[in-house]
Amino acid sequence: MRAARLIRMALLVQSSPGLTAAALARELEVSERTVIRDAQALQEAGVPIRSERGRSGGYHLAPGHRTRLTTLHPTEAETLYLSGLPSALRDLGLSDAASTARLKLSATMLPSLRAAAESSARRFHLDAPAWFREPAAPELLPELARAVWSDRRVELAYARPGRDAAPPRAVTRLLEPYGLVLKAGVWYVVGRVPDEADGAGAGRSGGAWRTYRVDRATALTEPSPTGAADPAAPFVRDPSFDLAAHWEAHSAGFARALLRATVTLRLSERGLRRLPAVADPAGIGEALAGAGAPDPAGRVTLDLPVESEDVAFATLAELGADAEVLAPEGLRARFRERARALTALYAADPKVPADPTDPAEPADPADQR
């Protein structure tokens, strides 16, 4: 730990001469006293670092001296491809490696190029997690990331969500982890289960491609030996596998698979424009492709795939009178009940308390979700 800090300190002084003890302490997240001790340790190791007083003081290397610590470690080189994702680096446990890699790269640059790189970092930042979500890195994510880097099989235990309010079910799979994906603040692992086959999902050398949420993983262990093959040995990657292309196809198919119901709507021009703001994008294209021609009043009738009638009731209500549900009849009836309840509420004098014996609006099942 200290050796890595000493390297970072030497690189910081080389790339930014004149840094004070306070500035170095902030960068290295240590005390100023520790910075002074580390400077003495560097001097004893043959690095000609010195502290100068005055307006142009701070820590400097001897004129003409350059450290020979700029060769990137493989892990540091790999993290450069993720350097625009600080939250992802933190979740994966690679923040220190990325910081050291950037320092090494900066130390090799001409001053003009170094300034351009720093200018870019000050102007652009990518924040991956979604709004209104407190990001929390799954506990097993760093260990799973190490398995991905080293092509190492793992026994993955996770809690599979139950259906129809059933409790989660514990499942264990032998997994060849091919990659990790960060989607809207949620981490997923994409891999192949070698002892499964599912037709179109099977890889060339056997097995089925699967995607699991990392925050549902409960344990990660070395595989148990079975037969002559060593399950802990690195697996051979399928050279045709493309993580980005696989994820794009998987996510599109997953989103469409959730849309198990269909609602027939009649929309005004404004309702048609506002539909993408409330409906699932996976179903809108299909709905618009099959929409009929506008009627004399300019309203368009279409069949919209939805997750459920409960979800449709909650989302389509945002369109108000710009959307009329034609089918199914049960959903149309729920909108009639909502309209009657709202009419009664707003027709009454707001200064007069409501009669507690009046029938209340029917309970909305969507509120219980």
Side-chain angles (χ1 to χ4, degrees), residues 98-331:
S99 177
T100 302
R102 285 192 293 269
L103 282 171
K104 288 182 177 181
L105 186 61
S106 178
T108 65
M109 289 180 173
L110 294 173
S112 58
L113 294 177
R114 188 184 309 143
E118 293 171 354
S119 176
S120 175
R122 285 194 297 267
R123 286 168 170 79
F124 298 98
H125 174 72
L126 177 60
D127 187 9
W131 286 105
F132 312 116
R133 178 191 296 273
E134 187 65 30
E139 182 180 351
L140 297 175
L141 180 62
E143 185 179 351
L144 189 55
R146 288 191 288 271
V148 170
W149 285 120
S150 58
D151 294 340
R152 175 168 51 88
R153 295 181 184 87
V154 295
E155 287 277 356
L156 178 71
Y158 70 99
R160 172 179 287 175
R163 294 187 178 182
D164 300 325
R169 181 165 58 93
V171 179
T172 301
R173 293 285 185 270
L174 174 64
L175 182 70
E176 297 175 349
Y178 269 63
L180 290 163
V181 176
L182 178 61
K183 171 72 171 180
V186 179
W187 282 98
Y188 298 85
V189 58
V190 178
R192 187 166 54 188
V193 179
D195 54 0
E196 285 188 12
D198 61 354
R204 287 184 177 179
S205 58
W209 297 110
R210 294 287 183 259
T211 300
Y212 302 109
R213 280 183 59 148
V214 179
D215 58 2
R216 289 177 182 158
T218 57
L220 201 66
T221 57
E222 293 288 341
S224 302
T226 54
D230 179 8
F235 62 87
V236 179
R237 281 180 165 260
D238 183 342
S240 68
F241 180 78
D242 184 323
L243 179 60
H246 174 88
W247 178 259
E248 183 177 358
H250 167 81
S251 55
F254 175 77
R256 183 60 185 88
L258 291 176
L259 308 180
R260 302 185 179 96
T262 301
V263 173
T264 302
L265 299 175
R266 186 155 52 209
L267 298 165
S268 68
E269 292 183 12
R270 188 172 69 167
L272 196 62
R273 290 195 304 270
R274 294 178 58 201
L275 184 63
V278 301
D280 196 304
I284 292 177
E286 181 179 330
L288 295 178
D295 62 16
R299 290 183 168 253
V300 173
T301 300
L302 51 78
D303 293 325
L304 178 68
V306 295
E307 184 175 345
S308 67
E309 289 188 23
D310 290 344
V311 173
F313 182 69
T315 57
L316 295 177
E318 299 182 36
L319 298 180
D322 289 314
E324 178 188 0
V325 173
L326 303 179
E329 177 55 33
L331 182 59

Side-chain angles (χ1 to χ4, degrees), residues 53-76:
R53 298 179 179 275
R55 293 178 57 185
S56 59
Y59 281 92
H60 297 262
L61 294 178
H65 178 84
R66 297 187 65 82
T67 68
R68 299 184 180 276
L69 304 172
T70 54
T71 301
L72 292 178
H73 184 275
T75 302
E76 297 164 354

